Amino acid sequence: MTASAYIPKNPVQIECNIEKTLDVLGGKWAFLVLRELFCGTRRFGELQRSIPCVSPRALTSTLRHLEKKGVLERHVYPTVPVTVEYTLTPKGEDLHQIVREMKLWAAKWT
């Protein structure tokens, strides 16, 4: 018998709320985006200036991910040029305490 014969065809899915939370938080830029939005509504350019290491493509991807997960809302205003603002939803605001606790932990242990 080959090694693949021992792998179950339908692996059991384990529900893990921590894993779900980490999925919502997304990649490495999400925490920095959240940090900025905890202070209030921001435009794309403001976010990019406040997180200088992030590329426009990575920032766009992070914002789309957080919007898809219901953490932030994107508001488009028909100006010339178009104005786009990002605001946390109540779901996103609830992440503030989690991020704050992670910051305190890091300050204590790292």
Side-chain angles (χ1 to χ4, degrees):
M1 230 179 213
T2 65
S4 62
Y6 295 105
I7 299 172
K9 295 197 186 270
N10 295 320
V12 177
Q13 294 291 326
I14 299 173
E15 290 279 324
C16 177
N17 290 331
I18 294 171
E19 187 176 353
K20 289 178 185 178
T21 303
L22 291 174
D23 179 56
V24 170
L25 290 175
K28 74 183 211 178
W29 301 111
F31 285 101
L32 298 175
V33 169
L34 289 170
R35 178 194 68 191
E36 295 303 316
L37 293 177
F38 288 144
C39 298
T41 300
R42 297 285 186 267
R43 293 183 182 176
F44 184 89
E46 292 173 317
L47 290 169
Q48 194 169 22
R49 283 189 295 279
S50 64
I51 311 170
C53 299
V54 68
S55 70
R57 183 176 180 185
L59 180 57
T60 298
S61 175
T62 300
L63 291 167
R64 285 181 182 158
H65 172 80
L66 292 172
E67 182 182 14
K68 180 180 173 187
K69 296 296 183 177
V71 173
L72 61 81
E73 293 177 337
R74 180 177 185 260
H75 301 279
V76 180
Y77 298 96
T79 58
V80 179
V82 173
T83 301
V84 181
E85 293 182 339
Y86 298 91
T87 306
L88 290 176
T89 62
K91 182 177 180 178
E93 290 287 348
D94 271 356
L95 290 170
H96 199 178
Q97 182 178 352
I98 294 168
V99 173
R100 187 176 317 132
E101 290 298 322
M102 291 174 75
K103 181 180 176 182
L104 292 173
W105 181 91
K108 181 177 180 178
W109 295 104
T110 60

